[in-house]
Amino acid sequence: MTGEPELVDPAPVAALSALLSSGAPPVRPGDPLPPLWHWVALPRWSPSTVLGLDGHPRRDESDVPADLPRRMFAGGTVTFHAPIVVGSRITRHTTVRSSDMKQGRSGRFLLRQNKTTAYAESGAPLLTEQQNIVYRPAPPRQSARPAPSPPHPRRR
């Protein structure tokens, strides 16, 4: 999927810079974004009305079986090609590199590798990120346990 141009937002970058208060000068518009700070400067927040039970946006992935509703991040890599500049605009392109059904100790699961490349307005690649996502079955239903009784007041 190719996205629309996105602003490398200075506001969350300034907030993270202040939070860390490392003694380094604050990161400002025009400065290179420190490594991995793209997770703060380029967030993808979905409204809560479109979130599934796992906290992710509801899926539209046709290659993921419906009986594997639980998603979790299982690792990844980031390769930096050029600095991302705070206040600039970038475009991200995401593809599915692989999608493999596997069997583990706790049952079957799907391991998917997504590759996202961020490009500068000039079209030059800035970073490539690979994320491994695991899709698992829902946990077995457990019978409801009675709520614990409140403690009894002590008599004097």
Side-chain angles (χ1 to χ4, degrees), residues 61-126:
E61 301 127 336
S62 59
D63 66 327
V64 178
D67 66 336
L68 299 176
R70 294 168 53 197
R71 278 177 285 195
M72 64 184 208
F73 178 76
T77 60
V78 179
T79 303
F80 299 95
H81 306 294
I84 297 175
V85 177
V86 178
S88 66
R89 293 202 170 273
I90 62 105
T91 304
R92 290 187 272 190
H93 176 76
T94 301
T95 57
V96 176
R97 292 191 63 180
S98 65
S99 191
D100 300 310
M101 194 62 70
K102 303 216 180 240
Q103 184 70 32
R105 288 182 299 196
S106 63
R108 74 190 251 282
F109 64 93
L110 181 78
L111 176 61
R112 174 191 251 178
Q113 286 187 350
N114 294 331
K115 177 185 170 187
T116 300
T117 304
Y119 297 94
E121 288 182 289
S122 67
L126 299 169

Side-chain angles (χ1 to χ4, degrees), residues 39 73-79 114 128-133:
W39 292 331
F73 178 76
T77 60
V78 179
T79 303
N114 294 331
T128 303
E129 181 171 9
Q130 178 181 295
Q131 290 189 347
N132 302 320
I133 309 294

Side-chain angles (χ1 to χ4, degrees), residues 50-62:
V50 302
L51 297 181
L53 294 175
D54 60 1
H56 292 267
R58 282 189 206 97
R59 302 191 327 218
D60 60 357
E61 301 127 336
S62 59

